[in-house]
Amino acid sequence: RLTRNFFVLFQSESFCLINQLLMYEFEAAVGVCYGRVGTKLPPPSEAINLIKSIGVSRTRLFNPDPEALQPFAGTGIELLVGVPNEILPTLANSPVTISMEWLQTNIFAHVSPNQVKYLAVGNEIFLKDPFYSPYIVPAISNLYQALRTLGLATTIKLSSSHASTILSNSYPPSSGVFNSTIRPFLLPFLQFLRDTSSPLMVNVYPFFAYINNPQYVSLDHALFRSSYVEYDKNLAYDNMFDASIDAFVYAMEKEGFEGIPVMVTETGWPTAGIDGASIDNALSYNGNVVRRALNNVGTPKRPGVGLDVFLFDLFDENGKSGEEFERHFGIFEDNGIKAYDIRFN
C-alpha cells in the first residue's frame, strides 16, 4: 500500500488527490449498534459489560439518550452518536451557538469528547424521511462550526447514515448511481464530506437483497461462501457485501466525488423469523464481516482499504415494528443471553 500511495503521491498534481490518499490510510475498526427498542433489555451498565465481553471497542448509539450515553463515560469504548432527525430543523435554522449548546448539553455533559469519534446527523432521511432532507447539510455545517469552535472538528467526524435505497441502480457495481430525486440535497452533502475528509455512512444488508430477490441473489453469495465469481470492469466479486459497497463508490465517482471513504453504519443478519434467518447464517455472515474488516481486506475496487463497520444489533429488540425477523438481529437475546459466539478481536 505504501508503494502504491507514494507513487500516486508523486504523480498527482492536486491537493485533492493527496487528501484522498491520506483518507485511505487507516486501520479499520469494528463496532456494534446498541439499539434499545425493547421492553426486556438489560440496563445500559450490563449492556456495556456484554459489549466488553465480546471485545467490542466501538458502539453506535442511535440517539443521545442520557440513560444510555452516560454509562459509557470512562469505559474507553469509542462512540458513534446519532443526532435525531427531528432536531435537524432547529440546528439548521438557528445560530451556531445553538448547535454548540446542543452538543454540550446532550452529548459532552455525559461523555468526554475524546470518546466520541463520529456524529451521524440524521438516519436514513433521503427517500425514507424526506421532510428532513433540506436540513441535513445546514445542520451538519452548523455542528461542524460548533466543533471547530470547541477545537474538536479534527477528532469528531460528521456525516449522515443512508439506506442502500438511495441508489437507483446498484448492479453490477459499476452501474451504481444515486436516485436523481435526491441530487439537490446529496451533492452539497458529498461536497461537505470531501471538504472535511469525512466518510459516507451507509446501511448495507445483503440479507434484504437475498429475501427480496432470491431468484437473483443466492444465499451463498450473500453469506460470503459462494464459489461463483462475477466480473465487473475486470474486478472479481464473490459476495454481495463487496458489490454493495463498490456500487456506492462508483455512484460517488459519477457525481465527481472520488476518494470519499465509505463507512458501514449498519449491517447484520437475523437469527430467526423468516426462511434464511438462522443462528448459523447470522454467525457466518457477521463473522465474515468482522474478519474481513479486521484484516483490512477492503473491496475489489478499493483493495486493502480499511472499512469501518458496525454490526446490527447488540440485542434482539422485541419492540421493533415490521416483520418478525426485524426483532431477531441481536448477537444477544433480549435477556442478555448470547445468541451465538462471535468476537471482535
Side-chain angles (χ1 to χ4, degrees):
R1 294 165 62 190
L2 283 175
T3 301
R4 180 198 66 187
N5 284 354
F6 278 116
F7 175 79
V8 177
L9 177 62
F10 287 117
Q11 293 296 316
S12 66
E13 297 179 354
S14 69
F15 173 79
C16 182
L17 286 178
I18 298 174
N19 194 42
Q20 290 168 21
L21 296 177
L22 294 176
M23 285 192 289
Y24 277 178
E25 287 300 315
F26 67 92
E27 296 301 316
V30 184
V32 65
C33 298
Y34 178 19
R36 303 180 67 237
V37 186
T39 59
K40 302 184 295 182
L41 298 178
S45 58
E46 185 177 338
I48 290 171
N49 289 333
L50 293 175
I51 289 170
K52 290 181 175 180
S53 74
I54 55 175
V56 170
S57 60
R58 283 190 176 182
T59 300
R60 178 186 181 186
L61 298 174
F62 289 93
N63 60 72
D65 180 356
E67 180 184 357
L69 185 58
Q70 195 281 326
F72 280 92
T75 62
I77 296 173
E78 298 176 341
L79 299 173
L80 186 163
V81 182
V83 179
N85 295 0
E86 56 269 20
I87 195 65
L88 265 59
T90 297
L91 298 177
N93 294 325
S94 302
V96 173
T97 53
I98 299 300
S99 292
M100 191 179 310
E101 291 173 8
W102 189 90
L103 288 169
Q104 292 174 322
T105 301
N106 291 277
I107 297 179
F108 302 145
H110 307 294
V111 294
S112 170
N114 63 19
Q115 273 187 258
V116 181
K117 297 302 176 185
Y118 297 97
L119 295 179
V121 184
N123 184 51
E124 298 192 343
I125 286 178
F126 292 147
L127 300 180
K128 288 192 173 185
D129 210 357
F131 170 79
Y132 297 103
S133 293
Y135 302 107
I136 292 179
V137 172
I140 285 181
S141 298
N142 281 344
L143 287 168
Y144 178 73
Q145 293 302 322
L147 289 174
R148 285 191 63 184
T149 302
L150 296 170
L152 300 171
T154 59
T155 59
I156 300 176
K157 293 296 183 181
L158 290 157
S159 188
S160 184
S161 296
H162 301 291
S164 294
T165 51
I166 66 171
L167 296 178
S168 60
N169 190 25
S170 60
Y171 182 83
S174 63
S175 296
V177 63
F178 291 110
N179 187 303
S180 61
T181 64
I182 67 172
R183 291 186 79 249
F185 311 112
L186 175 72
L187 297 186
F189 171 69
L190 293 176
Q191 185 66 53
F192 173 86
L193 298 184
R194 181 161 65 184
D195 290 346
T196 59
S197 300
S198 300
L200 176 69
M201 296 177 171
V202 297
N203 301 334
V204 173
Y205 287 92
F207 167 76
F208 287 110
Y210 164 67
I211 65 170
N212 291 328
N213 303 282
Q215 68 274 34
Y216 301 114
V217 180
S218 72
L219 183 61
D220 285 345
H221 194 64
L223 291 174
F224 298 94
R225 63 189 189 196
S226 175
S227 58
Y228 176 69
V229 177
E230 296 181 348
Y231 288 88
D232 178 34
K233 300 287 187 180
N234 295 319
L235 299 177
Y237 292 89
D238 62 5
N239 67 84
M240 190 70 192
F241 182 85
D242 284 352
S244 300
I245 300 302
D246 281 353
F248 279 103
V249 177
Y250 278 109
M252 287 191 288
E253 289 181 353
K254 288 183 176 70
E255 299 294 352
F257 294 92
E258 296 185 358
I260 294 177
V262 177
M263 169 185 285
V264 179
T265 41
E266 282 183 41
T267 193
W269 199 280
T271 56
I274 195 173
D275 183 46
S278 69
I279 290 175
D280 287 343
N281 287 348
L283 177 58
S284 177
Y285 178 79
N286 288 332
N288 274 298
V289 169
V290 170
R291 176 184 58 80
R292 291 163 55 86
L294 293 179
N295 289 316
N296 284 326
V297 172
T299 65
K301 187 161 173 60
R302 290 179 173 178
V305 176
L307 183 70
D308 282 359
V309 176
F310 287 82
L311 291 190
F312 184 88
D313 196 2
L314 182 62
F315 295 113
D316 286 346
E317 298 178 84
N318 66 0
K320 296 276 287 187
S321 59
E323 301 289 337
E324 178 61 25
F325 64 78
E326 296 277 7
R327 296 180 274 279
H328 297 281
F329 273 88
I331 297 170
F332 293 90
E333 299 175 19
D334 56 8
N335 57 10
I337 296 176
K338 187 182 287 186
Y340 51 91
D341 192 21
I342 184 172
R343 292 195 63 82
F344 289 67
N345 52 21

